[in-house]
Every structure is written in structure tokens, then in C-alpha cells.
Amino acid sequence: RLKQSCMPHWVEKQNFSTFDKCIGIKMKKEIDRQNNHNTESDRTDKNEIRTSEILKMLHTDWAGRNLVFHQVTGSTNTDAAELAAAGAVHGTVVLTDRQQAGRGRRGRVWESPAGENVFMSIVLRPRIPAEKAPMLTLVMALALAEGISAISGVQAGIKWPNDIVIHRHKICGILTEMHMNSDGSIRDIVIGVGINVNMQEFPASIRDMAGSLYTETGEKYDRNELIASVMEHFEKNYDIFAEAES
């Protein structure tokens, strides 16, 4: 409460409670304004892909420990393949907010919006025969189903060979590409993933078959948390696979 000596000369003693209430209302409005601003900032931050946030939530030894982020790119698989050829370490992950020339099965190409989905590719250097490489698509599919279910509480299923579905709607696709050495051994494998996270609208041509975590659950999700969850489950499943094949 203000001391009387600090009050303006025009404030009479009998009106002090009114003056005090006015000050309280102004202070409350300012606090509410700051809280609203902070809440909006939190929502904005959660809607952005931030490598620093992913690393805070990541509990892995190698998967996703080296993160490369592009605000916009053509294809994360292309970017990851170039990094792999230049010597990128096992577990390097390339991320983007917007992918303009993503590739799918049979050479399909699509452009995706910014701020809604997850597009990432991981560089792997497995010591396995080339004929075993297709199994890594299933390893990633299992990691996606587990990682998505872990943060959403909804059971995600695998539609062989490379789709993840919820309520029969495709929410995720996988593209695995292998690059060989001259002696026929595997130089590296790049696994690319596209997850429909907070997307609300789909083209009419795929509306009946496609979905997102948002359309299937009614909730919006932190993409950074989802990325960390998938990488943790992938490392676990990859290590089990690698040990079994060694």
C-alpha cells in the first residue's frame, strides 16, 4: 500500500481505497498482458523446430546427436546423402521445416507446408550384408509407431512396407536409400521420414487416405518432442537389430 506522503495531493484520504483499487486493476492488466505474451511466445516456440530443444529432450548415445537443420530444403534425403558422402558420422540427422521436393516410392515428388510437419533423414553406416538392408525400413517403422504412440497415447500401426497409420489414415511415410562402395559393401544408408503432425487440410485427391496426428487425435503436438521420441526408439531398435545381425 502507498504511504500517504507519496500520494498525489489531489487524492483525498477517504478516496484512498478507490485509488488503491485502480492501481491494483492496472497492475493486474499488465501482469495478464505479460502472461498472455509469454504464453503466445511459448506456443510459437513449440511450433518451431529447434535443435537446442531436441537435444534437451534427447536420451540417445548416437541417434540424432549430430543435427543439421535447414529452414527450407528440397529433400532431406538428398541433403543427408551428400553429408554421408562427405563423411558424416553414423546417426547424423537432417531436419527441415519445409520440404519442397520430397521423394516417395516410385519417384513420387511432393511439396509440404512449413510449420506443421516433421521431415528428417538419418545417416547410418551399418555393418551388415546389402541383402539385409531392407530390414532397416521396418526398424524405422517400429520406431515411428512406438515414438508416436509414446507422446500421443494413440496406437499407431505399420502398413508394410513403409507407412504408419492411425485409424487407417496414413500419417507417415518412409524412404530408405542405400549407397554402395566399389567392392559391393554398404557405404551408407539414408532413411527419410515424413510425419504429418499438426496439418489440418489435405488435397482432395488424398483426403480419404491421409491424416495427421492432429486430425486423428484433435491435439497439436510439439514437433521437437516428437523428433526426440522417434530417435530414442530408433536407437533402441537399431541396436537390437545390429546385435542380432552381428
Side-chain angles (χ1 to χ4, degrees):
R1 184 180 293 273
L2 296 173
K3 292 182 179 179
Q4 187 172 359
S5 60
C6 297
M7 289 171 20
H9 67 277
W10 44 267
V11 179
E12 297 180 1
K13 184 175 181 181
Q14 61 266 31
N15 292 329
F16 182 79
S17 60
T18 301
F19 175 76
D20 192 42
K21 288 178 181 178
C22 289
I23 292 296
I25 291 170
K26 288 181 179 179
M27 288 179 67
K28 183 178 185 301
K29 286 182 177 179
E30 176 62 19
I31 291 171
D32 289 343
R33 187 188 71 80
Q34 289 291 335
N35 286 339
N36 289 337
H37 174 74
N38 291 337
T39 301
E40 290 297 327
S41 297
D42 289 343
R43 279 200 286 262
T44 300
D45 289 344
K46 284 187 176 182
N47 196 44
E48 295 178 357
I49 292 177
R50 295 177 180 268
T51 56
S52 59
E53 291 302 310
I54 296 169
L55 290 171
K56 286 179 185 177
M57 293 183 276
L58 195 61
H59 303 288
T60 62
D61 292 327
W62 53 266
R65 283 295 161 187
N66 183 32
L67 295 173
V68 179
F69 176 71
H70 301 293
Q71 195 68 42
V72 180
T73 194
S75 163
T76 57
N77 260 36
T78 298
D79 296 339
E82 291 174 354
L83 289 174
V89 298
H90 178 73
T92 295
V93 172
V94 179
L95 302 158
T96 190
D97 185 52
R98 182 184 178 192
Q99 187 166 249
Q100 296 178 309
R103 301 193 303 280
R105 295 180 68 203
R106 303 189 183 107
R108 294 190 182 101
V109 178
W110 71 91
E111 181 175 340
S112 56
E116 296 182 343
N117 302 321
V118 166
F119 303 97
M120 61 182 176
S121 299
I122 187 168
V123 174
L124 302 172
R125 299 190 182 278
R127 297 179 179 178
I128 58 173
E131 60 268 21
K132 298 285 188 179
M135 292 298 294
L136 289 174
T137 299
L138 184 57
V139 172
M140 178 59 82
L142 182 59
L144 285 163
E146 292 175 343
I148 289 168
S149 297
I151 72 161
S152 69
V154 176
Q155 185 66 45
I158 300 172
K159 182 181 178 182
W160 182 259
N162 64 340
D163 293 341
I164 304 300
V165 296
I166 296 178
H167 306 148
R168 298 185 179 181
H169 290 144
K170 176 180 175 178
I171 64 164
C172 177
I174 306 166
L175 178 63
T176 302
E177 297 178 314
M178 180 169 58
H179 308 103
M180 309 293 291
N181 292 312
S182 58
D183 63 0
S185 62
I186 297 174
R187 187 192 75 193
D188 64 76
I189 290 176
V190 171
I191 304 180
V193 170
I195 311 171
N196 297 333
V197 185
N198 297 320
M199 196 169 178
Q200 301 181 47
E201 299 291 335
F202 294 89
S205 60
I206 62 170
R207 196 169 295 151
D208 291 340
M209 63 185 74
S212 68
L213 280 174
Y214 175 77
T215 62
E216 301 310 304
T217 69
E219 301 285 341
K220 290 202 170 183
Y221 295 89
D222 182 345
R223 292 183 293 166
N224 302 299
E225 182 183 8
L226 177 58
I227 292 165
S229 180
V230 171
M231 283 297 100
E232 288 179 29
H233 285 89
F234 179 76
E235 179 174 290
K236 177 196 69 175
N237 294 329
Y238 180 94
D239 286 346
I240 292 172
F241 169 77
E243 184 177 354
E245 294 299 327
S246 62

